[in-house]
Amino acid sequence: MALGFCQNQKVLINLKWVSPPNLFHGKYWGHIWPLSLAAEPGVWTRGRTEPDSEGARIVGGRDCRVGSRAYQVALLRNGRIYCGGSLIAPKWVLTAAHCRSQVSSLQVHLGDYNLRVKEGTEQIRRIRNFFVHPGYNLRRYDNDFMLLELDAPAQLNNYVNTIDLATSCPFPGTLCVVSGWGTIRSPQKVFPNTLRCADVYSISQARCQASYGNIITENMFCAGVEQGGIDSCQGDSGGPLVCNGQLQGVVSWGTSVCALRGRPGVYANVCKVAQWVRSTIGRKSQSKQWL
Ligand SMILES: [Ca+2]
């Protein structure tokens, strides 16, 4: 969850993804999509030059209530947050396709809250297999979905539980909650120990396209707040955006400086992939090779 800052920094589109600190710089910038910047000159506009004109505006998320996000998954690499995800069935996690790099090395934490403390609620799994959406397009960030099959099913309880997929597409203005262990500052990187939550509102496709142009497809939607300052950010990728108790969005991308006014977060549109999710899980659950 990010706080909003806007200094003399170019605003770059970037996936809400983070690599380990020793690789951070190279891999982070390696995920910028230059063509999108060329196609969308507005994205290149520079931030305000007045010192602290935005830095004083400290707004952002909050600690989630313990146990309130039992579907939240942490994908860790070398003990650090890499991406988020959502438990949608005891053996299945829905996350973002752009989190797929070296996916087999990721550790899956269910029922976690403070990543630095062993709370006794955690269930740790490995990834047996992963399925990237067949329509995923890295250059356009389209269909940014990936299913992870866990090596063993989760034991469901008060701290670990599944969430239902959205049964309808987002209605503009709906209050939603996004959660994750991503950076709480932007463009600085400050990673919290505890799970953070933020309230954002779904935004119409017309307004989303007014912000980002025709990069926005029907498989994405925007969510944010009018004044900026509250947003998902690097490290939150793949995590849940939940509206009315259903998983409506997967944290996908935004400007590299998060939470800017007029630059809402972009989410993969879960209502468009319910059939793919059901068929993938159903097919693999029935196939003996996966038992
Ligand atoms: Ca913990």
Side-chain angles (χ1 to χ4, degrees):
M1 300 306 104
L3 309 175
F5 291 91
C6 184
Q7 281 95 18
N8 304 332
Q9 173 146 349
K10 283 179 182 170
V11 176
L12 300 168
I13 283 185
N14 205 343
L15 301 171
K16 290 179 173 178
W17 171 91
V18 64
S19 59
N22 58 335
L23 298 173
F24 187 84
H25 195 72
K27 295 199 81 172
Y28 177 81
W29 293 110
H31 276 71
I32 291 168
W33 180 36
L35 288 179
S36 73
L37 303 172
E40 195 58 29
V43 176
W44 277 109
T45 54
R46 284 170 177 266
R48 298 182 184 181
T49 54
E50 301 85 352
D52 296 322
S53 61
E54 296 272 322
R57 191 189 63 196
I58 307 294
V59 188
R62 60 182 185 277
D63 279 346
C64 303
R65 189 167 48 80
V66 175
S68 68
R69 307 282 147 191
Y71 51 81
Q72 175 82 47
V73 173
L75 301 177
L76 304 183
R77 176 172 292 163
N78 300 326
R80 295 176 186 274
I81 190 70
Y82 179 73
C83 275
S86 303
L87 190 69
I88 60 167
K91 266 184 87 170
W92 292 88
V93 170
L94 183 63
T95 183
H98 77 263
C99 297
R100 76 194 185 293
S101 173
Q102 300 174 57
V103 68
S104 59
S105 71
L106 297 179
Q107 208 173 39
V108 182
H109 278 221
L110 314 170
D112 213 335
Y113 183 75
N114 185 327
L115 295 179
R116 301 271 175 196
V117 175
K118 185 166 166 34
E119 294 140 307
T121 56
E122 302 92 343
Q123 296 179 31
I124 298 173
R125 298 288 184 274
R126 288 284 180 179
I127 296 166
R128 173 182 286 189
N129 214 333
F130 66 99
F131 303 88
V132 172
H133 191 284
Y136 174 55
N137 182 324
L138 174 63
R139 291 170 70 85
R140 294 187 64 84
Y141 314 135
D142 203 14
N143 286 303
D144 193 6
F145 295 103
M146 177 168 62
L147 279 165
L148 305 178
E149 185 189 26
L150 305 180
D151 62 349
Q155 297 179 321
L156 305 186
N157 57 36
N158 287 340
Y159 297 93
V160 177
N161 211 339
T162 57
I163 185 160
D164 293 334
L165 302 182
T167 49
S168 59
C169 290
F171 189 79
T174 304
L175 173 63
C176 306
V177 177
V178 61
S179 49
W181 289 271
T183 179
I184 58 172
R185 298 277 178 91
S186 182
Q188 304 91 332
K189 299 289 178 287
V190 179
F191 291 94
N193 295 333
T194 51
L195 181 62
R196 304 284 287 178
C197 281
D199 295 338
V200 291
Y201 294 85
S202 58
I203 293 170
S204 72
Q205 289 301 84
R207 283 190 59 195
C208 190
Q209 289 174 344
S211 292
Y212 293 109
N214 61 9
I215 307 170
I216 302 298
T217 71
E218 64 176 7
N219 306 309
M220 312 170 188
F221 69 100
C222 284
V225 293
E226 185 76 37
Q227 71 276 18
I230 304 176
D231 195 6
S232 50
C233 203
Q234 283 83 19
D236 290 321
S237 270
L241 177 77
V242 171
C243 317
N244 296 321
Q246 296 184 329
L247 183 64
Q248 195 82 63
V250 170
V251 178
S252 183
W253 60 275
T255 48
S256 67
V257 179
C258 310
L260 299 177
R261 183 187 177 101
R263 296 290 182 187
V266 183
Y267 295 81
N269 202 359
V270 171
C271 68
K272 297 291 185 182
V273 291
Q275 181 56 40
W276 171 71
V277 170
R278 274 195 294 271
S279 64
T280 303
I281 292 179
R283 191 168 63 247
K284 296 307 170 188
S285 298
Q286 289 164 11
S287 167
K288 284 184 178 174
Q289 65 177 308
W290 305 108
L291 294 176

mmCIF file of all heavy atoms in Angstrom, residues 126-154:
data_model
loop_
_atom_site.group_PDB
_atom_site.id
_atom_site.type_symbol
_atom_site.label_atom_id
_atom_site.label_comp_id
_atom_site.label_asym_id
_atom_site.label_seq_id
_atom_site.Cartn_x
_atom_site.Cartn_y
_atom_site.Cartn_z
ATOM 1 N N ARG A 126 4.613 -25.130 -1.156
ATOM 2 C CA ARG A 126 5.385 -24.918 -2.375
ATOM 3 C C ARG A 126 4.434 -24.980 -3.567
ATOM 4 O O ARG A 126 3.302 -25.449 -3.446
ATOM 5 C CB ARG A 126 6.472 -25.995 -2.499
ATOM 6 C CG ARG A 126 7.610 -25.815 -1.501
ATOM 7 C CD ARG A 126 8.516 -24.696 -1.936
ATOM 8 N NE ARG A 126 9.624 -24.488 -1.008
ATOM 9 C CZ ARG A 126 10.565 -23.571 -1.184
ATOM 10 N NH1 ARG A 126 10.526 -22.757 -2.229
ATOM 11 N NH2 ARG A 126 11.533 -23.440 -0.308
ATOM 12 N N ILE A 127 4.940 -24.548 -4.704
ATOM 13 C CA ILE A 127 4.126 -24.532 -5.915
ATOM 14 C C ILE A 127 4.421 -25.796 -6.718
ATOM 15 O O ILE A 127 5.569 -26.040 -7.104
ATOM 16 C CB ILE A 127 4.419 -23.265 -6.740
ATOM 17 C CG1 ILE A 127 3.992 -22.027 -5.938
ATOM 18 C CG2 ILE A 127 3.711 -23.328 -8.095
ATOM 19 C CD1 ILE A 127 4.519 -20.722 -6.493
ATOM 20 N N ARG A 128 3.382 -26.602 -6.921
ATOM 21 C CA ARG A 128 3.563 -27.820 -7.705
ATOM 22 C C ARG A 128 3.538 -27.504 -9.197
ATOM 23 O O ARG A 128 4.260 -28.106 -9.989
ATOM 24 C CB ARG A 128 2.460 -28.826 -7.377
ATOM 25 C CG ARG A 128 2.487 -30.041 -8.281
ATOM 26 C CD ARG A 128 1.363 -31.002 -7.978
ATOM 27 N NE ARG A 128 1.606 -31.726 -6.735
ATOM 28 C CZ ARG A 128 0.864 -32.748 -6.325
ATOM 29 N NH1 ARG A 128 -0.154 -33.154 -7.055
ATOM 30 N NH2 ARG A 128 1.131 -33.356 -5.200
ATOM 31 N N ASN A 129 2.673 -26.588 -9.582
ATOM 32 C CA ASN A 129 2.554 -26.255 -10.992
ATOM 33 C C ASN A 129 1.928 -24.874 -11.128
ATOM 34 O O ASN A 129 1.275 -24.402 -10.190
ATOM 35 C CB ASN A 129 1.686 -27.293 -11.708
ATOM 36 C CG ASN A 129 2.151 -27.510 -13.123
ATOM 37 O OD1 ASN A 129 2.742 -26.622 -13.745
ATOM 38 N ND2 ASN A 129 1.884 -28.706 -13.649
ATOM 39 N N PHE A 130 2.140 -24.253 -12.266
ATOM 40 C CA PHE A 130 1.528 -22.941 -12.484
ATOM 41 C C PHE A 130 0.958 -22.868 -13.900
ATOM 42 O O PHE A 130 1.456 -23.518 -14.818
ATOM 43 C CB PHE A 130 2.534 -21.817 -12.234
ATOM 44 C CG PHE A 130 3.674 -21.776 -13.208
ATOM 45 C CD1 PHE A 130 3.657 -20.903 -14.286
ATOM 46 C CD2 PHE A 130 4.767 -22.608 -13.053
ATOM 47 C CE1 PHE A 130 4.713 -20.856 -15.183
ATOM 48 C CE2 PHE A 130 5.820 -22.574 -13.962
ATOM 49 C CZ PHE A 130 5.790 -21.696 -15.021
ATOM 50 N N PHE A 131 -0.076 -22.072 -14.026
ATOM 51 C CA PHE A 131 -0.798 -21.964 -15.285
ATOM 52 C C PHE A 131 -1.009 -20.484 -15.595
ATOM 53 O O PHE A 131 -1.792 -19.807 -14.923
ATOM 54 C CB PHE A 131 -2.144 -22.686 -15.188
ATOM 55 C CG PHE A 131 -1.992 -24.138 -14.807
ATOM 56 C CD1 PHE A 131 -1.946 -24.512 -13.471
ATOM 57 C CD2 PHE A 131 -1.844 -25.111 -15.777
ATOM 58 C CE1 PHE A 131 -1.779 -25.838 -13.104
ATOM 59 C CE2 PHE A 131 -1.671 -26.440 -15.419
ATOM 60 C CZ PHE A 131 -1.632 -26.804 -14.088
ATOM 61 N N VAL A 132 -0.292 -19.984 -16.585
ATOM 62 C CA VAL A 132 -0.444 -18.591 -17.015
ATOM 63 C C VAL A 132 -1.642 -18.523 -17.966
ATOM 64 O O VAL A 132 -1.844 -19.423 -18.791
ATOM 65 C CB VAL A 132 0.841 -18.119 -17.713
ATOM 66 C CG1 VAL A 132 0.649 -16.743 -18.335
ATOM 67 C CG2 VAL A 132 1.999 -18.095 -16.711
ATOM 68 N N HIS A 133 -2.448 -17.495 -17.822
ATOM 69 C CA HIS A 133 -3.610 -17.341 -18.704
ATOM 70 C C HIS A 133 -3.155 -17.354 -20.164
ATOM 71 O O HIS A 133 -2.188 -16.675 -20.520
ATOM 72 C CB HIS A 133 -4.318 -16.021 -18.382
ATOM 73 C CG HIS A 133 -5.652 -15.902 -19.056
ATOM 74 N ND1 HIS A 133 -5.788 -15.612 -20.397
ATOM 75 C CD2 HIS A 133 -6.908 -16.046 -18.582
ATOM 76 C CE1 HIS A 133 -7.073 -15.577 -20.708
ATOM 77 N NE2 HIS A 133 -7.774 -15.837 -19.622
ATOM 78 N N PRO A 134 -3.835 -18.120 -21.012
ATOM 79 C CA PRO A 134 -3.403 -18.232 -22.411
ATOM 80 C C PRO A 134 -3.430 -16.897 -23.150
ATOM 81 O O PRO A 134 -2.720 -16.725 -24.145
ATOM 82 C CB PRO A 134 -4.396 -19.234 -23.023
ATOM 83 C CG PRO A 134 -5.544 -19.302 -22.067
ATOM 84 C CD PRO A 134 -4.993 -18.984 -20.711
ATOM 85 N N GLY A 135 -4.212 -15.954 -22.677
ATOM 86 C CA GLY A 135 -4.272 -14.654 -23.344
ATOM 87 C C GLY A 135 -3.335 -13.616 -22.752
ATOM 88 O O GLY A 135 -3.380 -12.444 -23.117
ATOM 89 N N TYR A 136 -2.472 -14.058 -21.833
ATOM 90 C CA TYR A 136 -1.555 -13.091 -21.195
ATOM 91 C C TYR A 136 -0.627 -12.465 -22.238
ATOM 92 O O TYR A 136 -0.043 -13.154 -23.058
ATOM 93 C CB TYR A 136 -0.727 -13.797 -20.124
ATOM 94 C CG TYR A 136 0.349 -12.927 -19.521
ATOM 95 C CD1 TYR A 136 0.032 -11.700 -18.947
ATOM 96 C CD2 TYR A 136 1.681 -13.330 -19.522
ATOM 97 C CE1 TYR A 136 1.009 -10.899 -18.394
ATOM 98 C CE2 TYR A 136 2.670 -12.534 -18.966
ATOM 99 C CZ TYR A 136 2.322 -11.319 -18.407
ATOM 100 O OH TYR A 136 3.304 -10.528 -17.858
ATOM 101 N N ASN A 137 -0.520 -11.168 -22.158
ATOM 102 C CA ASN A 137 0.323 -10.429 -23.089
ATOM 103 C C ASN A 137 1.168 -9.454 -22.287
ATOM 104 O O ASN A 137 0.680 -8.445 -21.790
ATOM 105 C CB ASN A 137 -0.571 -9.678 -24.092
ATOM 106 C CG ASN A 137 0.235 -8.929 -25.123
ATOM 107 O OD1 ASN A 137 1.296 -8.385 -24.843
ATOM 108 N ND2 ASN A 137 -0.272 -8.898 -26.340
ATOM 109 N N LEU A 138 2.447 -9.799 -22.156
ATOM 110 C CA LEU A 138 3.344 -9.002 -21.318
ATOM 111 C C LEU A 138 3.427 -7.562 -21.811
ATOM 112 O O LEU A 138 3.488 -6.627 -21.025
ATOM 113 C CB LEU A 138 4.741 -9.629 -21.312
ATOM 114 C CG LEU A 138 5.822 -8.815 -20.598
ATOM 115 C CD1 LEU A 138 5.493 -8.655 -19.117
ATOM 116 C CD2 LEU A 138 7.184 -9.478 -20.755
ATOM 117 N N ARG A 139 3.414 -7.380 -23.124
ATOM 118 C CA ARG A 139 3.605 -6.029 -23.653
ATOM 119 C C ARG A 139 2.400 -5.141 -23.385
ATOM 120 O O ARG A 139 2.524 -3.931 -23.288
ATOM 121 C CB ARG A 139 3.909 -6.096 -25.145
ATOM 122 C CG ARG A 139 5.282 -6.696 -25.431
ATOM 123 C CD ARG A 139 5.456 -6.984 -26.910
ATOM 124 N NE ARG A 139 5.563 -5.758 -27.697
ATOM 125 C CZ ARG A 139 6.704 -5.090 -27.883
ATOM 126 N NH1 ARG A 139 7.812 -5.525 -27.333
ATOM 127 N NH2 ARG A 139 6.726 -4.000 -28.615
ATOM 128 N N ARG A 140 1.238 -5.750 -23.283
ATOM 129 C CA ARG A 140 0.053 -4.943 -23.021
ATOM 130 C C ARG A 140 -0.499 -5.181 -21.617
ATOM 131 O O ARG A 140 -1.520 -4.605 -21.260
ATOM 132 C CB ARG A 140 -1.031 -5.243 -24.055
ATOM 133 C CG ARG A 140 -0.658 -4.810 -25.461
ATOM 134 C CD ARG A 140 -1.829 -4.972 -26.410
ATOM 135 N NE ARG A 140 -2.949 -4.101 -26.038
ATOM 136 C CZ ARG A 140 -3.047 -2.827 -26.403
ATOM 137 N NH1 ARG A 140 -2.119 -2.280 -27.143
ATOM 138 N NH2 ARG A 140 -4.087 -2.117 -26.038
ATOM 139 N N TYR A 141 0.159 -6.036 -20.861
ATOM 140 C CA TYR A 141 -0.308 -6.413 -19.523
ATOM 141 C C TYR A 141 -1.700 -7.027 -19.562
ATOM 142 O O TYR A 141 -2.410 -7.018 -18.559
ATOM 143 C CB TYR A 141 -0.349 -5.214 -18.565
ATOM 144 C CG TYR A 141 0.844 -4.318 -18.571
ATOM 145 C CD1 TYR A 141 0.683 -2.943 -18.598
ATOM 146 C CD2 TYR A 141 2.126 -4.843 -18.551
ATOM 147 C CE1 TYR A 141 1.789 -2.100 -18.594
ATOM 148 C CE2 TYR A 141 3.224 -4.004 -18.547
ATOM 149 C CZ TYR A 141 3.053 -2.640 -18.570
ATOM 150 O OH TYR A 141 4.115 -1.810 -18.576
ATOM 151 N N ASP A 142 -2.118 -7.496 -20.724
ATOM 152 C CA ASP A 142 -3.479 -7.999 -20.837
ATOM 153 C C ASP A 142 -3.581 -9.382 -20.199
ATOM 154 O O ASP A 142 -2.633 -10.163 -20.238
ATOM 155 C CB ASP A 142 -3.873 -8.068 -22.318
ATOM 156 C CG ASP A 142 -5.370 -8.025 -22.530
ATOM 157 O OD1 ASP A 142 -6.094 -7.683 -21.570
ATOM 158 O OD2 ASP A 142 -5.822 -8.314 -23.658
ATOM 159 N N ASN A 143 -4.732 -9.671 -19.620
ATOM 160 C CA ASN A 143 -4.986 -10.981 -18.988
ATOM 161 C C ASN A 143 -3.861 -11.365 -18.027
ATOM 162 O O ASN A 143 -3.281 -12.445 -18.120
ATOM 163 C CB ASN A 143 -5.160 -12.067 -20.057
ATOM 164 C CG ASN A 143 -6.492 -11.971 -20.754
ATOM 165 O OD1 ASN A 143 -7.530 -12.023 -20.113
ATOM 166 N ND2 ASN A 143 -6.461 -11.804 -22.068
ATOM 167 N N ASP A 144 -3.584 -10.497 -17.101
ATOM 168 C CA ASP A 144 -2.462 -10.681 -16.162
ATOM 169 C C ASP A 144 -2.875 -11.629 -15.034
ATOM 170 O O ASP A 144 -2.993 -11.226 -13.871
ATOM 171 C CB ASP A 144 -2.036 -9.308 -15.628
ATOM 172 C CG ASP A 144 -0.699 -9.353 -14.913
ATOM 173 O OD1 ASP A 144 -0.048 -10.411 -14.922
ATOM 174 O OD2 ASP A 144 -0.312 -8.305 -14.345
ATOM 175 N N PHE A 145 -3.088 -12.884 -15.399
ATOM 176 C CA PHE A 145 -3.573 -13.893 -14.448
ATOM 177 C C PHE A 145 -2.681 -15.125 -14.472
ATOM 178 O O PHE A 145 -2.247 -15.559 -15.540
ATOM 179 C CB PHE A 145 -4.983 -14.365 -14.811
ATOM 180 C CG PHE A 145 -6.044 -13.319 -14.719
ATOM 181 C CD1 PHE A 145 -6.531 -12.720 -15.870
ATOM 182 C CD2 PHE A 145 -6.560 -12.945 -13.496
ATOM 183 C CE1 PHE A 145 -7.532 -11.756 -15.798
ATOM 184 C CE2 PHE A 145 -7.557 -11.985 -13.415
ATOM 185 C CZ PHE A 145 -8.040 -11.389 -14.564
ATOM 186 N N MET A 146 -2.481 -15.698 -13.305
ATOM 187 C CA MET A 146 -1.779 -16.979 -13.206
ATOM 188 C C MET A 146 -2.402 -17.772 -12.050
ATOM 189 O O MET A 146 -2.680 -17.227 -10.979
ATOM 190 C CB MET A 146 -0.283 -16.752 -12.938
ATOM 191 C CG MET A 146 0.518 -18.036 -12.742
ATOM 192 S SD MET A 146 2.311 -17.761 -12.778
ATOM 193 C CE MET A 146 2.554 -16.672 -11.375
ATOM 194 N N LEU A 147 -2.589 -19.059 -12.289
ATOM 195 C CA LEU A 147 -3.064 -19.967 -11.241
ATOM 196 C C LEU A 147 -1.883 -20.783 -10.728
ATOM 197 O O LEU A 147 -1.073 -21.284 -11.525
ATOM 198 C CB LEU A 147 -4.128 -20.909 -11.800
ATOM 199 C CG LEU A 147 -5.543 -20.344 -11.893
ATOM 200 C CD1 LEU A 147 -6.415 -21.223 -12.778
ATOM 201 C CD2 LEU A 147 -6.156 -20.201 -10.499
ATOM 202 N N LEU A 148 -1.786 -20.901 -9.422
ATOM 203 C CA LEU A 148 -0.744 -21.713 -8.793
ATOM 204 C C LEU A 148 -1.403 -22.921 -8.139
ATOM 205 O O LEU A 148 -2.353 -22.765 -7.361
ATOM 206 C CB LEU A 148 -0.007 -20.906 -7.720
ATOM 207 C CG LEU A 148 0.595 -19.571 -8.154
ATOM 208 C CD1 LEU A 148 1.234 -18.878 -6.954
ATOM 209 C CD2 LEU A 148 1.601 -19.762 -9.276
ATOM 210 N N GLU A 149 -0.888 -24.088 -8.472
ATOM 211 C CA GLU A 149 -1.351 -25.294 -7.804
ATOM 212 C C GLU A 149 -0.377 -25.596 -6.668
ATOM 213 O O GLU A 149 0.833 -25.727 -6.898
ATOM 214 C CB GLU A 149 -1.413 -26.471 -8.779
ATOM 215 C CG GLU A 149 -2.012 -27.705 -8.146
ATOM 216 C CD GLU A 149 -1.889 -28.934 -9.030
ATOM 217 O OE1 GLU A 149 -0.971 -28.984 -9.867
ATOM 218 O OE2 GLU A 149 -2.702 -29.850 -8.878
ATOM 219 N N LEU A 150 -0.883 -25.700 -5.454
ATOM 220 C CA LEU A 150 -0.021 -25.921 -4.289
ATOM 221 C C LEU A 150 0.338 -27.392 -4.160
ATOM 222 O O LEU A 150 -0.380 -28.275 -4.654
ATOM 223 C CB LEU A 150 -0.725 -25.431 -3.022
ATOM 224 C CG LEU A 150 -1.191 -23.975 -3.054
ATOM 225 C CD1 LEU A 150 -1.871 -23.599 -1.744
ATOM 226 C CD2 LEU A 150 -0.030 -23.030 -3.350
ATOM 227 N N ASP A 151 1.437 -27.641 -3.456
ATOM 228 C CA ASP A 151 1.890 -29.027 -3.302
ATOM 229 C C ASP A 151 1.000 -29.818 -2.345
ATOM 230 O O ASP A 151 0.999 -31.050 -2.370
ATOM 231 C CB ASP A 151 3.354 -29.073 -2.856
ATOM 232 C CG ASP A 151 3.576 -28.413 -1.497
ATOM 233 O OD1 ASP A 151 2.647 -27.744 -0.987
ATOM 234 O OD2 ASP A 151 4.685 -28.546 -0.956
ATOM 235 N N ALA A 152 0.254 -29.105 -1.510
ATOM 236 C CA ALA A 152 -0.682 -29.770 -0.597
ATOM 237 C C ALA A 152 -1.807 -28.783 -0.305
ATOM 238 O O ALA A 152 -1.575 -27.571 -0.259
ATOM 239 C CB ALA A 152 0.018 -30.165 0.705
ATOM 240 N N PRO A 153 -3.029 -29.283 -0.107
ATOM 241 C CA PRO A 153 -4.142 -28.352 0.121
ATOM 242 C C PRO A 153 -4.002 -27.606 1.437
ATOM 243 O O PRO A 153 -3.414 -28.103 2.399
ATOM 244 C CB PRO A 153 -5.378 -29.264 0.128
ATOM 245 C CG PRO A 153 -4.872 -30.642 0.312
ATOM 246 C CD PRO A 153 -3.455 -30.680 -0.176
ATOM 247 N N ALA A 154 -4.540 -26.408 1.458
ATOM 248 C CA ALA A 154 -4.580 -25.636 2.704
ATOM 249 C C ALA A 154 -5.576 -26.273 3.662
ATOM 250 O O ALA A 154 -6.557 -26.876 3.242
ATOM 251 C CB ALA A 154 -4.999 -24.207 2.392
#
